[in-house]
Amino acid sequence: MEFVPGPAVHRVLCADCGTPIVPNSANLCVACLRNTVDITEGIPKQSSVSFCRNCERFLSPPQSWTLARPESQELLAICLKRLKGLNKVRLTEAHFIWTEPHSKRLRVSLTIQKEVLTSTILEQIFEIEYLVQHGQCPDCTKLAAKNTWKALVQVRQKVSHKRTFLYLEQLILKHGTQKDTISVKEVRDGLDFFYSQRSHAIKMVEFLAGVVPVRSPQTLIRVPANYKFTYSVEIVPICKDDLVCIPSKQARQLSNISPLTICTRVGNSFQLLDPATLQSCEISAPVYWRAPFISLATVTDLVEFTILDIEPSGAVRGKWVSADAQVAMSGAFKSHGSYGDQDTIMDHENSSVSTQIFHTRTHLGAILQPGDTALGYHLSHANFNSDDFSSLPSSRIPDIILVKKTYPNRRKKNKSRNWKLRSIAKEAGEEGETGAGRGVVGRMGGRDQKKVEEDYERFLQDLEEDPELRGTVNLYAAKDTKMRDATDGARKKGGQYGMDVDEVDTSNTTVVDEDEQDAEEEPDFPAVKLEELLEEFDEMTLGDSESP
């Protein structure tokens, strides 16, 4: 085979330095071409980015504010948007150059290409320095100015306790719906949520409608050159474990259920159960508001009973098992010497009723055992101001209605909890704020503060005793439980999205006698397991506060 040489490569000398090069349209080598032509001309070598220290967001031109981590792709995109002249070149690579974490400067390395002469493409690497300028975004400015809201959600429930709002606060935190709220204010019978945009308020109303039965009419407040929207959300005044007497006409429409029922579940609708027959019905918010009714009694009216004997009757529906039970009032067969202070004894404890044995039918046949303690409503000694209840024949009204099992021996031990809850942080200087308040519920203080504390403790007990309720909220592991000083009322506050930590209250200790101290704990107490708890994270802006 004959060797055929390739075509000869002709070279010319560079017009400036005389270096032999492949011929090009400029007749210049790469070094001389870079010295002659600067493709970075028109691109500033220094720029600035705006950063809001309150919400930790960067300004993304032209008007949006974006949450971006240091040296992230989002922050790099914001930096590139600040540069002018990048549309005239081709950007091939960009990355951050490391700087000190506390530095107010960002360094970005860019690699660009541009055609300088005919069929001649030049590539160049250069560095741009950004100065981080601190300021306030419009949302934080409105938050600092106060009363500059665009939309308001008024949540109300006309009941005598705050347990619903304590539970609602945990649901809001779990789903993160508090992030768009600029402020929260506690008012009579509820809470007010303020928003800078109408869409955020609509989102909150839709969330509330999905977790609790509500009705929500809209109100438009017209101000010159400004519109403000108010959404009034009223929650059904029926809570879990409440005693309810359904009007007779409505009870016949609900599968002819017995009018005297208890509430077993509350979601976007609530469920009522007849303890005697295990018949249940579910009432949605629209059905309820067509013919509203109220509770006969709430959890504050519950009385402790001791189970003397219980025998299942055979009827089973889900987790409920019908059973016939013999009960007596708690402490009915104790000696009078064990009461201690006679001034604290209730009137019915001194009467013959305290030693009377009652027969009742309950739905807790799978839970209760002889010797257990249960909470129930004592109907034979109750006086209700209700026409629907008065119209019931006496044969359909039992003496006792048991609601749930309780664990008094565990309460007497006064053990500290190994878990805690989070609460939405209070806004500094807000009207009605008190230093001893807990989260958004309990800020008003005054004579109702003690009642709020009792509702909160009852809410914590419900979380401990009800595994299903615990599954709907987030519980966090408590690293250490401290005793609270009586003079310590301050909290550490986070930023706009910061949250306070509610820990267990161990300051209210009670003195019990030796028999109560020696009482064994209930073996079936549903203690909170370690795998149900979440760990704390520093980026969630938590304060090491203690419960009041």
Side-chain angles (χ1 to χ4, degrees):
M1 179 181 294
E2 186 178 358
F3 174 74
V4 179
V9 179
H10 301 282
R11 295 181 178 272
V12 297
L13 298 179
C14 175
D16 285 350
C17 63
T19 303
I21 60 172
V22 177
N24 56 51
S25 58
N27 289 331
L28 295 174
C29 63
V30 176
C32 295
L33 190 59
R34 287 179 177 175
N35 293 333
T36 305
V37 181
D38 184 13
I39 62 175
T40 64
E41 185 179 3
I43 301 177
K45 303 303 185 295
Q46 291 184 343
S47 185
S48 62
V49 291
S50 299
F51 176 72
C52 179
R53 278 194 264 190
N54 192 18
C55 61
E56 298 181 352
R57 294 187 297 175
F58 288 89
L59 174 61
S60 179
Q63 294 181 349
S64 63
W65 290 78
T66 307
L67 186 64
R69 293 181 176 275
E71 299 187 5
S72 62
Q73 296 294 328
E74 294 82 4
L75 182 56
L76 183 60
I78 293 174
C79 293
L80 295 180
K81 286 182 180 179
R82 302 288 299 179
L83 293 180
K84 298 180 180 179
L86 278 182
N87 55 346
K88 298 179 181 179
V89 297
R90 179 186 177 187
L91 180 65
T92 59
E93 198 268 340
H95 65 271
F96 282 101
I97 301 175
W98 184 85
T99 56
E100 292 289 342
H102 60 274
S103 174
K104 293 185 179 180
R105 284 173 172 78
L106 302 175
R107 297 169 60 194
V108 179
S109 174
L110 300 181
T111 302
I112 60 174
Q113 292 179 352
K114 185 179 181 181
E115 185 177 0
V116 292
L117 297 173
T118 305
S119 301
T120 303
I121 298 177
L122 187 63
E123 182 179 271
Q124 188 170 347
I125 301 176
F126 65 103
E127 178 185 327
I128 298 179
E129 187 179 76
Y130 292 88
L131 177 64
V132 180
Q133 296 179 343
H134 296 289
Q136 274 189 331
C137 64
D139 294 338
C140 295
T141 303
K142 292 178 181 179
L143 178 62
K146 302 288 183 184
N147 298 326
T148 55
W149 52 273
K150 292 291 184 182
L152 167 66
V153 178
Q154 298 176 334
V155 187
R156 301 290 185 270
Q157 187 185 34
K158 297 179 181 179
V159 293
S160 59
H161 57 81
K162 297 289 186 180
R163 289 191 305 132
T164 301
F165 291 100
L166 291 170
Y167 176 61
L168 194 60
E169 180 184 14
Q170 298 304 316
L171 290 179
I172 290 174
L173 288 172
K174 181 174 183 178
H175 294 85
T177 54
Q178 85 286 356
K179 292 185 178 179
D180 296 327
T181 306
I182 60 176
S183 64
V184 184
K185 181 179 180 182
E186 184 184 17
V187 294
R188 181 179 177 85
D189 295 332
L191 299 172
D192 286 347
F193 296 86
F194 296 89
Y195 297 92
S196 59
Q197 298 181 19
R198 182 186 179 188
S199 60
H200 296 162
I202 296 176
K203 182 179 178 182
M204 172 60 79
V205 174
E206 293 175 349
F207 169 77
L208 294 175
V211 295
V212 287
V214 299
R215 63 173 176 179
S216 55
Q218 176 186 351
T219 303
L220 175 63
I221 304 175
R222 185 171 182 178
V223 184
N226 192 10
Y227 286 92
K228 292 189 176 183
F229 300 88
T230 300
Y231 295 88
S232 177
V233 179
E234 184 175 359
I235 304 176
V236 170
I238 306 293
C239 300
K240 188 175 179 292
D241 299 333
D242 283 0
L243 179 65
V244 179
C245 184
I246 310 175
S248 300
K249 180 180 178 181
Q250 193 168 354
R252 288 192 293 269
Q253 296 175 354
L254 298 172
S255 304
N256 200 24
I257 191 174
S258 174
L260 203 58
T261 59
I262 59 175
C263 180
T264 57
R265 187 188 64 83
V266 177
N268 52 6
S269 60
F270 60 95
Q271 191 176 60
L272 300 179
L273 174 70
D274 179 13
T277 62
L278 299 186
Q279 184 180 0
S280 63
C281 66
E282 190 161 340
I283 302 178
S284 62
V287 173
Y288 172 83
W289 290 115
R290 280 193 223 115
F293 51 88
I294 61 175
S295 302
L296 282 181
T298 63
V299 292
T300 56
D301 303 316
L302 290 173
V303 181
E304 283 191 2
F305 294 94
T306 300
I307 308 300
L308 303 180
D309 188 20
I310 187 166
E311 182 178 354
S313 60
V316 178
R317 177 167 294 182
K319 65 178 181 179
W320 307 124
V321 176
S322 180
D324 296 323
Q326 296 182 8
V327 301
M329 299 195 65
S330 181
F333 303 103
K334 287 185 178 181
S335 62
H336 293 288
S338 62
Y339 282 110
D341 188 4
Q342 294 292 330
D343 295 336
T344 61
I345 302 177
M346 302 298 291
D347 293 337
H348 60 73
E349 294 179 354
N350 285 327
S351 63
S352 60
V353 181
S354 61
T355 58
Q356 184 177 353
I357 298 177
F358 299 92
H359 297 264
T360 185
R361 177 161 291 184
T362 179
H363 61 292
L364 304 175
I367 302 175
L368 298 178
Q369 299 293 333
D372 289 346
T373 303
L375 294 176
Y377 294 105
H378 201 332
L379 300 185
S380 60
H381 288 268
N383 184 14
F384 300 117
N385 185 16
S386 172
D387 295 336
D388 298 325
F389 181 78
S390 302
S391 62
L392 294 178
S394 58
S395 59
R396 301 187 63 181
I397 302 177
D399 294 332
I400 303 294
I401 291 183
L402 299 180
V403 177
K404 61 180 180 179
K405 182 178 179 179
T406 186
Y407 305 88
N409 293 342
R410 171 77 178 191
R411 303 300 171 209
K412 292 171 184 175
K413 295 291 184 179
N414 200 24
K415 289 187 176 181
S416 60
R417 298 181 176 93
N418 62 342
W419 54 273
K420 56 187 174 183
L421 298 175
R422 286 176 179 166
S423 62
I424 303 175
K426 298 181 289 185
E427 303 297 339
E430 184 174 329
E431 182 180 358
E433 179 185 357
T434 58
R438 177 184 283 107
V440 296
V441 181
R443 296 193 203 179
M444 298 182 68
R447 57 185 178 183
D448 295 334
Q449 186 66 30
K450 182 179 179 181
K451 192 175 185 304
V452 173
E453 295 296 330
E454 293 175 353
D455 291 339
Y456 186 76
E457 178 61 27
R458 190 175 291 112
F459 174 63
L460 295 180
Q461 294 178 9
D462 291 342
L463 288 178
E464 280 184 323
E465 299 176 1
D466 192 347
E468 293 183 3
L469 185 64
R470 286 203 303 266
T472 59
V473 301
N474 288 338
L475 304 181
Y476 298 89
K479 295 181 179 179
D480 52 350
T481 305
K482 301 178 181 179
M483 298 292 290
R484 178 178 174 83
D485 187 4
T487 60
D488 185 12
R491 279 184 182 269
K492 291 185 179 179
K493 297 181 175 63
Q496 180 181 358
Y497 309 134
M499 291 175 288
D500 295 336
V501 179
D502 294 336
E503 296 183 356
V504 62
D505 182 9
T506 57
S507 59
N508 297 328
T509 56
T510 56
V511 179
V512 296
D513 55 22
E514 294 181 359
D515 294 338
E516 293 176 343
Q517 289 180 354
D518 296 338
E520 295 182 0
E521 293 185 14
E522 293 81 0
D524 58 341
F525 180 78
V528 180
K529 299 180 181 178
L530 185 61
E531 53 266 22
E532 299 181 41
L533 304 180
L534 301 177
E535 294 293 336
E536 295 183 29
F537 296 96
D538 296 336
E539 60 267 18
M540 302 193 73
T541 321
L542 290 179
D544 297 332
S545 58
E546 301 160 6
S547 66

